[in-house]
Amino acid sequence: MNMGTIWTVLGVIVAIIIAIFLVNILFSVIFWAFKLLIVLAVAAIVFAILRSVFSRKN
């Protein structure tokens, strides 16, 4: 094995480690955004229900 091959193998290993780290961050951000969308949808439904309940009493 020459020095170029060793650096190539080390570069590939470092690239894989960095890619795993970035993909984990990306998935956590996507999960957080999806969770936020679900919370907003449920909050809008609850708001509409509460608004209709309180408008009937008046």
Side-chain angles (χ1 to χ4, degrees):
M1 259 195 192
N2 61 12
M3 213 48 184
T5 305
I6 294 172
W7 283 113
T8 302
V9 170
L10 288 176
V12 168
I13 292 170
V14 169
I16 290 172
I17 292 171
I18 291 172
I20 289 171
F21 179 72
L22 291 176
V23 167
N24 282 336
I25 290 174
L26 180 67
F27 279 143
S28 67
V29 168
I30 289 172
F31 176 72
W32 182 81
F34 184 68
K35 192 175 173 181
L36 181 65
L37 287 175
I38 292 173
V39 168
L40 289 175
V42 171
I45 292 169
V46 170
F47 176 76
I49 291 170
L50 288 175
R51 189 173 176 187
S52 68
V53 166
F54 288 121
S55 67
R56 289 183 189 160
K57 290 185 177 180
N58 291 333

